[in-house]
mmCIF file of all heavy atoms in Angstrom:
data_model
loop_
_atom_site.group_PDB
_atom_site.id
_atom_site.type_symbol
_atom_site.label_atom_id
_atom_site.label_comp_id
_atom_site.label_asym_id
_atom_site.label_seq_id
_atom_site.Cartn_x
_atom_site.Cartn_y
_atom_site.Cartn_z
ATOM 1 N N GLY A 760 95.937 102.570 85.339
ATOM 2 C CA GLY A 760 97.032 102.659 86.295
ATOM 3 C C GLY A 760 96.775 101.754 87.489
ATOM 4 O O GLY A 760 95.639 101.329 87.741
ATOM 5 N N VAL A 761 97.846 101.451 88.217
ATOM 6 C CA VAL A 761 97.713 100.668 89.452
ATOM 7 C C VAL A 761 98.072 101.584 90.619
ATOM 8 O O VAL A 761 99.211 102.040 90.741
ATOM 9 C CB VAL A 761 98.653 99.441 89.455
ATOM 10 C CG1 VAL A 761 98.438 98.621 90.723
ATOM 11 C CG2 VAL A 761 98.422 98.590 88.215
ATOM 12 N N CYS A 762 97.083 101.864 91.467
ATOM 13 C CA CYS A 762 97.246 102.779 92.596
ATOM 14 C C CYS A 762 97.442 101.966 93.881
ATOM 15 O O CYS A 762 96.954 100.836 93.997
ATOM 16 C CB CYS A 762 95.982 103.627 92.683
ATOM 17 S SG CYS A 762 95.934 104.795 94.058
ATOM 18 N N HIS A 763 98.127 102.552 94.852
ATOM 19 C CA HIS A 763 98.308 101.852 96.126
ATOM 20 C C HIS A 763 96.957 101.566 96.795
ATOM 21 O O HIS A 763 96.821 100.609 97.568
ATOM 22 C CB HIS A 763 99.220 102.673 97.051
ATOM 23 C CG HIS A 763 99.972 101.853 98.039
ATOM 24 N ND1 HIS A 763 101.349 101.744 98.054
ATOM 25 C CD2 HIS A 763 99.536 101.079 99.061
ATOM 26 C CE1 HIS A 763 101.716 100.944 99.043
ATOM 27 N NE2 HIS A 763 100.627 100.537 99.680
ATOM 28 N N THR A 764 95.968 102.379 96.479
ATOM 29 C CA THR A 764 94.616 102.125 96.996
ATOM 30 C C THR A 764 94.108 100.742 96.551
ATOM 31 O O THR A 764 93.406 100.054 97.303
ATOM 32 C CB THR A 764 93.657 103.239 96.506
ATOM 33 O OG1 THR A 764 94.001 104.439 97.199
ATOM 34 C CG2 THR A 764 92.203 102.904 96.765
ATOM 35 N N ASP A 765 94.450 100.341 95.327
ATOM 36 C CA ASP A 765 94.037 99.012 94.847
ATOM 37 C C ASP A 765 94.652 97.915 95.712
ATOM 38 O O ASP A 765 94.040 96.870 95.947
ATOM 39 C CB ASP A 765 94.456 98.818 93.387
ATOM 40 C CG ASP A 765 93.812 99.847 92.467
ATOM 41 O OD1 ASP A 765 92.590 100.052 92.586
ATOM 42 O OD2 ASP A 765 94.534 100.452 91.652
ATOM 43 N N TRP A 773 92.092 98.452 105.472
ATOM 44 C CA TRP A 773 91.379 99.689 105.831
ATOM 45 C C TRP A 773 90.186 99.370 106.740
ATOM 46 O O TRP A 773 89.648 98.257 106.691
ATOM 47 C CB TRP A 773 90.828 100.359 104.570
ATOM 48 C CG TRP A 773 91.800 101.165 103.786
ATOM 49 C CD1 TRP A 773 93.078 101.493 104.105
ATOM 50 C CD2 TRP A 773 91.538 101.769 102.500
ATOM 51 N NE1 TRP A 773 93.634 102.260 103.108
ATOM 52 C CE2 TRP A 773 92.711 102.446 102.124
ATOM 53 C CE3 TRP A 773 90.430 101.803 101.642
ATOM 54 C CZ2 TRP A 773 92.814 103.155 100.917
ATOM 55 C CZ3 TRP A 773 90.526 102.505 100.461
ATOM 56 C CH2 TRP A 773 91.709 103.177 100.110
ATOM 57 N N GLY A 784 90.773 98.530 90.509
ATOM 58 C CA GLY A 784 91.223 99.472 89.469
ATOM 59 C C GLY A 784 90.345 100.700 89.347
ATOM 60 O O GLY A 784 89.123 100.597 89.292
ATOM 61 N N HIS A 785 91.010 101.887 89.290
ATOM 62 C CA HIS A 785 90.237 103.135 89.197
ATOM 63 C C HIS A 785 91.011 104.241 88.503
ATOM 64 O O HIS A 785 90.799 105.418 88.771
ATOM 65 C CB HIS A 785 89.809 103.574 90.608
ATOM 66 C CG HIS A 785 90.965 103.767 91.531
ATOM 67 N ND1 HIS A 785 91.531 102.750 92.258
ATOM 68 C CD2 HIS A 785 91.702 104.853 91.820
ATOM 69 C CE1 HIS A 785 92.549 103.208 92.953
ATOM 70 N NE2 HIS A 785 92.679 104.488 92.702
ATOM 71 N N GLU A 786 91.948 103.858 87.641
ATOM 72 C CA GLU A 786 92.659 104.880 86.842
ATOM 73 C C GLU A 786 92.568 104.449 85.379
ATOM 74 O O GLU A 786 93.581 104.304 84.702
ATOM 75 C CB GLU A 786 94.129 104.970 87.270
ATOM 76 C CG GLU A 786 94.376 105.597 88.632
ATOM 77 C CD GLU A 786 95.861 105.803 88.939
ATOM 78 O OE1 GLU A 786 96.717 105.242 88.224
ATOM 79 O OE2 GLU A 786 96.162 106.539 89.899
ATOM 80 N N LYS A 812 87.561 107.370 87.215
ATOM 81 C CA LYS A 812 88.308 107.713 88.427
ATOM 82 C C LYS A 812 87.728 106.929 89.608
ATOM 83 O O LYS A 812 86.774 106.192 89.452
ATOM 84 C CB LYS A 812 88.279 109.228 88.657
ATOM 85 C CG LYS A 812 86.886 109.836 88.617
ATOM 86 C CD LYS A 812 86.961 111.355 88.613
ATOM 87 C CE LYS A 812 85.611 111.998 88.378
ATOM 88 N NZ LYS A 812 84.497 111.513 89.199
ATOM 89 N N TRP A 813 88.334 107.126 90.782
ATOM 90 C CA TRP A 813 87.872 106.419 91.996
ATOM 91 C C TRP A 813 86.383 106.670 92.228
ATOM 92 O O TRP A 813 85.613 105.755 92.467
ATOM 93 C CB TRP A 813 88.704 106.920 93.177
ATOM 94 C CG TRP A 813 88.322 106.485 94.557
ATOM 95 C CD1 TRP A 813 87.789 107.271 95.532
ATOM 96 C CD2 TRP A 813 88.476 105.179 95.130
ATOM 97 N NE1 TRP A 813 87.615 106.535 96.680
ATOM 98 C CE2 TRP A 813 88.027 105.253 96.459
ATOM 99 C CE3 TRP A 813 88.961 103.958 94.649
ATOM 100 C CZ2 TRP A 813 88.038 104.154 97.315
ATOM 101 C CZ3 TRP A 813 88.975 102.858 95.507
ATOM 102 C CH2 TRP A 813 88.515 102.974 96.817
ATOM 103 N N SER A 838 84.971 103.096 92.224
ATOM 104 C CA SER A 838 85.458 102.144 91.228
ATOM 105 C C SER A 838 86.531 101.233 91.831
ATOM 106 O O SER A 838 87.495 101.706 92.425
ATOM 107 C CB SER A 838 86.033 102.939 90.051
ATOM 108 O OG SER A 838 86.515 102.074 89.075
ATOM 109 N N SER A 871 96.882 107.686 85.062
ATOM 110 C CA SER A 871 97.124 107.923 86.489
ATOM 111 C C SER A 871 96.843 109.355 86.925
ATOM 112 O O SER A 871 96.828 109.649 88.126
ATOM 113 C CB SER A 871 98.552 107.507 86.855
ATOM 114 O OG SER A 871 98.638 106.098 86.704
ATOM 115 N N LEU A 873 93.976 110.381 86.602
ATOM 116 C CA LEU A 873 92.576 110.248 87.049
ATOM 117 C C LEU A 873 92.427 109.935 88.535
ATOM 118 O O LEU A 873 91.375 110.162 89.113
ATOM 119 C CB LEU A 873 91.873 109.187 86.200
ATOM 120 C CG LEU A 873 91.608 109.717 84.788
ATOM 121 C CD1 LEU A 873 91.587 108.614 83.763
ATOM 122 C CD2 LEU A 873 90.317 110.525 84.764
ATOM 123 N N CYS A 874 93.487 109.392 89.160
ATOM 124 C CA CYS A 874 93.440 109.282 90.627
ATOM 125 C C CYS A 874 94.640 110.007 91.229
ATOM 126 O O CYS A 874 94.493 111.017 91.907
ATOM 127 C CB CYS A 874 93.395 107.838 91.105
ATOM 128 S SG CYS A 874 93.464 107.777 92.918
ATOM 129 N N ALA A 875 95.837 109.488 90.936
ATOM 130 C CA ALA A 875 97.035 110.084 91.554
ATOM 131 C C ALA A 875 97.117 111.579 91.260
ATOM 132 O O ALA A 875 97.336 112.393 92.165
ATOM 133 C CB ALA A 875 98.282 109.362 91.037
ATOM 134 N N GLY A 876 96.925 111.938 90.005
ATOM 135 C CA GLY A 876 97.056 113.340 89.604
ATOM 136 C C GLY A 876 95.979 114.214 90.227
ATOM 137 O O GLY A 876 96.271 115.259 90.818
ATOM 138 N N THR A 878 94.198 113.723 92.830
ATOM 139 C CA THR A 878 94.306 113.775 94.293
ATOM 140 C C THR A 878 95.344 114.794 94.745
ATOM 141 O O THR A 878 95.070 115.627 95.613
ATOM 142 C CB THR A 878 94.659 112.374 94.837
ATOM 143 O OG1 THR A 878 93.629 111.464 94.452
ATOM 144 C CG2 THR A 878 94.797 112.385 96.350
ATOM 145 N N LEU A 903 101.482 108.954 93.516
ATOM 146 C CA LEU A 903 100.939 110.288 93.821
ATOM 147 C C LEU A 903 102.070 111.309 93.932
ATOM 148 O O LEU A 903 101.991 112.412 93.390
ATOM 149 C CB LEU A 903 100.141 110.270 95.138
ATOM 150 C CG LEU A 903 98.643 109.941 95.024
ATOM 151 C CD1 LEU A 903 98.418 108.526 94.546
ATOM 152 C CD2 LEU A 903 97.940 110.165 96.351
ATOM 153 N N LEU A 992 96.876 106.891 103.008
ATOM 154 C CA LEU A 992 95.791 106.266 103.768
ATOM 155 C C LEU A 992 96.183 104.992 104.506
ATOM 156 O O LEU A 992 95.666 103.905 104.203
ATOM 157 C CB LEU A 992 94.640 105.951 102.801
ATOM 158 C CG LEU A 992 93.779 107.143 102.367
ATOM 159 C CD1 LEU A 992 92.990 106.814 101.108
ATOM 160 C CD2 LEU A 992 92.839 107.533 103.491
ATOM 161 N N VAL A 1017 90.656 112.400 97.126
ATOM 162 C CA VAL A 1017 90.565 112.463 95.647
ATOM 163 C C VAL A 1017 90.137 113.856 95.164
ATOM 164 O O VAL A 1017 90.717 114.863 95.558
ATOM 165 C CB VAL A 1017 89.714 111.315 95.052
ATOM 166 C CG1 VAL A 1017 90.465 110.000 95.167
ATOM 167 C CG2 VAL A 1017 88.321 111.200 95.670
ATOM 168 N N ARG A 1062 104.671 105.206 88.479
ATOM 169 C CA ARG A 1062 103.493 104.340 88.364
ATOM 170 C C ARG A 1062 103.743 103.134 87.465
ATOM 171 O O ARG A 1062 104.616 103.176 86.597
ATOM 172 C CB ARG A 1062 102.372 105.123 87.671
ATOM 173 C CG ARG A 1062 101.213 105.592 88.484
ATOM 174 C CD ARG A 1062 100.503 104.594 89.342
ATOM 175 N NE ARG A 1062 99.392 105.225 89.987
ATOM 176 C CZ ARG A 1062 99.246 105.356 91.310
ATOM 177 N NH1 ARG A 1062 100.142 104.880 92.145
ATOM 178 N NH2 ARG A 1062 98.164 105.921 91.806
HETATM 179 ZN ZN1 ZN B 1640 93.977 105.768 93.450
#
Side-chain angles (χ1 to χ4, degrees):
V761 183
C762 178
H763 207 116
T764 289
D765 299 313
W773 279 353
H785 58 274
E786 289 186 347
K812 51 190 172 49
W813 173 250
S838 180
S871 293
L873 287 151
C874 176
T878 300
L903 271 66
L992 284 162
V1017 288
R1062 253 308 183 242

